[in-house]
């Protein structure tokens, strides 16, 4: 019932969300049986891990994506077993936040970077929206950490506080702040202006391509029609040019990552449906 080989929890979560973009859910519609199997696998993985989904040395990436997918499913299906695993997954995120307000690769409060932090923040925001309790203090600390990653002059966000800004970290940082109620903050406004100035070539090729554009298009959608209409046609055309004959997209890791690349492309292109 799962997707992906190297990072099955993450790829299964992304695959489920890719179907959900178009309104397909477990036990509903033409793909209901497939999605039900995928959800069952994800829930089983969560139970076996005591609420933790990570299976690699960078496990909090997998954990954040799985938590996000379960939050979206719980909001639409109200299955108790999904809620129970989701609550345990959220608890792991909460106790893994480090004193600076961020998260890192492992479920331990000892390090941080904006990339993992944003994935956990987005998961927590989605869980809270679905009715799972998330302490306000956790979100406040996370907001403060993300803001410290912003370059004071350029407006973009770096991988860690003081690092050079990049498209990927800026897009992620801006969206996470928006989802935490900071939509009108000066940090978000400066971050959006940084994104508007990226070179057109970065729509075809950039570091951490799928991750960057997954967050960027959502940030632009949240920012409003002017931002979105300026951004979406560029990434739309760039992604369609990358689609392969069999309908899939390659991931950053090449052929073995086609499930990842395809799910991320669907999630990026599918923002209008959300």
């Amino acid at each position: 019932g799962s997707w992906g080989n190297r990072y099955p929890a993450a790829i299964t979560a992304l695959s489920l969300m890719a179907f959900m973009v178009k309104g397909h859910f477990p036990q509903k519609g033409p793909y209901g049986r497939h999605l039900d199997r995928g959800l069952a696998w994800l829930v089983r993985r969560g139970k076996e891990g005591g609420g933790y989904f990570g299976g690699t040395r960078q496990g909090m990436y997998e954990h954040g994506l799985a938590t996000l997918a379960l939050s979206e499913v719980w909001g639409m299906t109200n299955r108790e077993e999904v809620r129970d695993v989701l609550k345990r997954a959220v608890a792991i995120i909460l106790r893994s936040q480090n004193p600076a307000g961020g998260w890192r690769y492992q479920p331990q409060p000892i390090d941080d970077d904006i990339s993992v932090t944003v994935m956990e923040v987005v998961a927590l925001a989605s869980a809270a929206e679905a009715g799972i309790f998330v302490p306000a203090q956790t979100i406040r600390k996370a907001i403060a950490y993300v803001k410290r990653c912003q370059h004071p002059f350029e407006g973009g966000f770096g991988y860690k506080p003081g690092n050079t800004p990049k498209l990927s970290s800026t897009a992620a940082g801006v969206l996470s702040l928006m989802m935490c109620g900071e939509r009108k903050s000066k940090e978000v406004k400066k971050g959006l202006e940084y994104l508007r100035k990226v070179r057109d070539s970065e729509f075809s090729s950039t570091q951490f391509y799928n991750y960057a554009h997954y967050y960027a298009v959502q940030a632009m959608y949240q920012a409003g029609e002017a931002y979105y209409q300026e951004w979406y046609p560029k990434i739309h055309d760039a992604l369609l040019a990358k689609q392969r004959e069999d309908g899939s997209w390659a991931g950053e890791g090449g052929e073995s990552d086609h499930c990842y690349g395809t799910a991320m492309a669907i999630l990026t292109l599918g923002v209008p449906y959300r």
Side-chain angles (χ1 to χ4, degrees):
S2 65
W3 285 268
N5 297 313
R6 191 177 176 191
Y7 307 108
I11 307 306
T12 299
L14 288 168
S15 298
L16 287 170
M17 291 191 289
F19 278 96
M20 287 191 276
V21 162
K22 283 285 286 180
H24 299 294
F25 289 91
Q27 296 185 326
K28 296 178 182 178
Y31 309 110
R33 182 175 64 85
H34 302 283
L35 301 187
D36 204 42
R37 290 176 61 213
L39 176 60
W41 183 90
L42 203 60
V43 168
R44 187 167 63 251
R45 171 74 171 249
K47 288 180 178 178
E48 291 171 352
Y52 183 57
F53 292 92
T56 67
R57 71 179 186 88
Q58 297 176 328
M60 286 302 284
Y61 278 119
E62 288 198 89
H63 186 75
L65 286 170
T67 304
L68 175 60
L70 289 180
S71 296
E72 296 203 11
V73 171
W74 164 241
M76 295 300 295
T77 63
N78 291 329
R79 290 192 189 182
E80 288 190 7
E81 63 173 357
V82 173
R83 179 203 60 197
D84 293 344
V85 173
L86 175 58
K87 288 173 72 173
R88 277 180 267 168
V90 167
I92 288 172
I93 297 176
L94 296 179
R95 66 172 178 258
S96 300
Q97 186 180 36
N98 80 347
W103 287 265
R104 189 66 161 164
Y105 297 143
Q106 293 297 317
Q108 302 167 341
I110 56 176
D111 201 358
D112 54 70
D113 71 63
I114 197 173
S115 181
V116 179
T117 295
V118 165
M119 201 151 277
E120 310 316 317
V121 169
V122 171
L124 290 178
S126 180
E129 189 173 326
I132 305 299
F133 175 69
V134 176
Q137 177 65 11
T138 299
I139 299 300
R140 283 196 294 269
K141 287 174 63 179
I143 289 172
Y145 174 80
V146 171
K147 287 183 176 181
R148 286 198 298 275
C149 292
Q150 186 170 42
H151 192 282
F153 302 113
E154 295 184 47
F157 293 74
Y159 182 65
K160 281 176 169 279
N163 285 181
T164 302
K166 296 178 181 178
L167 168 58
S168 56
S169 50
T170 300
V174 168
L175 182 67
S176 68
L177 292 179
M178 287 176 144
M179 291 189 71
C180 292
E182 294 283 316
R183 193 180 303 266
K184 296 183 179 180
S185 69
K186 66 179 186 299
E187 289 84 2
V188 164
K189 292 178 180 178
K190 289 174 67 175
L192 287 170
E193 290 310 307
Y194 176 92
L195 291 174
R196 293 181 91 172
K197 295 174 184 176
V198 301
R199 299 184 303 273
D200 284 349
S201 61
E202 295 206 62
F203 287 89
S204 298
S205 178
T206 193
Q207 189 177 31
F208 310 119
Y209 183 86
N210 290 294
Y211 179 99
H213 284 289
Y214 167 74
Y215 283 120
V217 73
Q218 292 183 74
M220 290 305 187
Y221 182 82
Q222 295 290 336
E225 195 69 11
Y227 290 91
Y228 172 69
Q229 291 297 343
E230 182 181 296
W231 189 274
Y232 185 75
K234 295 179 182 179
I235 189 58
H236 169 276
D237 293 348
L239 279 174
L240 290 188
K242 291 176 179 291
Q243 189 177 27
R244 303 187 297 186
E245 285 297 317
D246 65 357
S248 68
W249 280 265
E252 278 89 349
E255 193 68 30
S256 64
D257 279 352
H258 66 278
C259 284
Y260 168 70
T262 302
M264 290 293 269
I266 291 170
L267 288 165
T268 301
L269 289 169
V271 165
Y273 296 102
R274 295 171 73 85

